[in-house]
Amino acid sequence: MTTAIEDGELNTELQELYLEAKQWIADLDFLDSELAFLNKLTANMAAKAEKKGEIEKLTGIEKTYLSLKEEMNAYLRQLEPLITQKKEDFDLGLIETYTHLKWRLDEVLHSCQTVKNSVFDHSKHGLAEGNAS
């Protein structure tokens, strides 16, 4: 189903979608630096089995992050002409895409937080064991 953009309120809503998607890109950029930090911290872990598991989780998050960033940039490119050109038709699938991207972003941020807590916990134990010897 397509709808013609004719009123300012709809254009305002599209601009809000665009700005939120731009914020998502900023969140993913922060996630990129967070992943780099966690990879360095994980590389210094003493326990090989735990280290391998955390590296695998981080690799999975990084793959998801990269595909998600591409999809978000495509979404932004889809929104741009709707905002700048009047009477452009659009598919209401934009809202479904928005919901799907938001859900995936929340999931990848949650996954990163979970791994971060685990890596910090393992690092704390490694420091305590190092101080004990």
Side-chain angles (χ1 to χ4, degrees):
M1 179 174 157
T2 60
T3 303
I5 297 175
E6 295 178 3
D7 67 19
E9 189 174 322
L10 183 55
N11 195 24
T12 301
E13 294 293 328
L14 289 170
Q15 288 177 17
E16 288 178 18
L17 286 177
Y18 183 83
L19 291 174
E20 187 160 358
K22 289 290 272 186
Q23 179 58 50
W24 293 345
I25 298 292
D27 292 346
L28 287 176
D29 287 341
F30 175 76
L31 181 63
D32 187 40
S33 60
E34 188 86 349
L35 289 172
F37 170 73
L38 290 173
N39 275 315
K40 287 180 184 176
L41 193 58
T42 302
N44 293 326
M45 287 173 59
K48 299 257 189 232
E50 293 169 349
K51 181 178 183 176
K52 181 181 178 192
E54 299 301 345
I55 289 173
E56 287 174 1
K57 290 176 191 172
L58 288 170
T59 301
I61 292 170
E62 191 169 344
K63 286 179 184 175
T64 302
Y65 149 79
L66 291 172
S67 71
L68 186 55
K69 189 166 184 176
E70 285 178 27
E71 289 178 44
M72 286 183 175
N73 281 318
Y75 185 67
L76 285 172
R77 287 189 300 275
Q78 194 177 11
L79 287 172
E80 286 171 354
L82 298 174
I83 294 168
T84 59
Q85 300 169 5
K86 298 293 178 196
K87 298 198 185 212
E88 183 75 25
D89 287 339
F90 71 95
D91 186 331
L92 291 177
L94 284 173
I95 305 304
E96 289 178 20
T97 302
Y98 167 88
T99 304
H100 178 72
L101 290 172
K102 177 144 181 50
W103 178 82
R104 287 188 59 210
L105 176 64
D106 290 345
E107 285 294 311
V108 77
L109 292 174
H110 176 73
S111 295
C112 185
Q113 186 63 42
T114 301
V115 172
K116 181 179 180 180
N117 291 341
S118 177
V119 168
F120 283 177
D121 189 48
H122 289 113
S123 295
K124 240 191 298 186
H125 291 302
L127 288 174
E129 289 169 7
N131 289 338
S133 46

